Amino acid sequence: MSVDLTGIPVSEMIDKAFKMLKLAYTPYSHWKVGAGLLDTDGKIWGGCNIENASYGVTNCAERTAFFKAVSEGVKSFKAIAIVGGREGKVEDFCAPCGVCRQAMMEFCDPESFIVIVAKNKTEYTAKTLKEILPDGFGPKSLAE
């Protein structure tokens, strides 16, 4: 499946993800992740991963970006860009974990929401949420 990136400011989203990567708090894993989340009004929300000594309380960059936006009243999104690597050195693609994919299902149309994983502004992949979470469980699953 080919993803249409028309109207998606990929470069700006990747820039935001790299800026957020520098803010990641990762004293345990040393694996830093940054995200740039595009809402339907064109604003790019940033998120970084924030670890905790108990690990279970750790929050991923993608969910941080979503939670920031939702806490400000935004609940409609187009795409997210994600970068990550050990000590913040991005050498490969960093895909979202399963928990983050599930969180995306809550607010995004899996058919049209785009997940971009990048090494830099020119090396990235783009897939729909449905491609990375086939048969996902979301609000429509509970509709009567």
Side-chain angles (χ1 to χ4, degrees):
M1 173 183 251
S2 178
V3 175
D4 182 8
L5 295 174
T6 304
I8 304 295
V10 175
S11 182
E12 291 89 349
M13 293 172 64
I14 293 171
D15 277 344
K16 182 67 154 189
F18 272 101
K19 286 177 185 169
M20 298 308 300
L21 178 81
K22 293 176 184 170
L23 300 175
Y25 176 74
T26 61
Y28 309 105
S29 75
H30 304 281
W31 187 268
K32 297 180 181 296
V33 180
L37 174 64
L38 179 66
D39 70 24
T40 54
D41 289 331
K43 181 172 179 176
I44 300 173
W45 298 83
C48 63
N49 56 326
I50 304 165
E51 292 183 347
N52 187 282
S54 71
Y55 284 102
V57 182
T58 293
N59 201 57
C60 297
E62 302 90 327
R63 285 182 287 135
T64 298
F66 272 97
F67 296 167
K68 284 170 63 176
V70 171
S71 72
E72 296 292 327
V74 177
K75 295 185 186 98
S76 184
F77 305 96
K78 286 184 175 182
I80 192 166
I82 305 159
V83 298
R86 183 150 185 83
E87 298 298 351
K89 186 174 181 184
V90 178
E91 297 178 320
D92 204 352
F93 298 120
C94 181
C97 74
V99 173
C100 287
R101 294 173 197 214
Q102 182 60 46
M104 291 174 197
M105 279 294 296
E106 187 66 23
F107 299 103
C108 306
D109 176 356
E111 301 282 342
S112 62
F113 185 75
I114 300 168
V115 179
I116 300 162
V117 292
K119 292 183 192 179
N120 55 54
K121 285 201 245 185
T122 59
E123 291 181 276
Y124 59 85
T125 65
K127 296 180 180 178
T128 64
L129 178 55
K130 184 172 183 165
E131 287 178 295
I132 68 166
L133 185 64
D135 303 320
F137 186 87
K140 290 181 181 178
S141 304
L142 298 174
E144 294 184 30

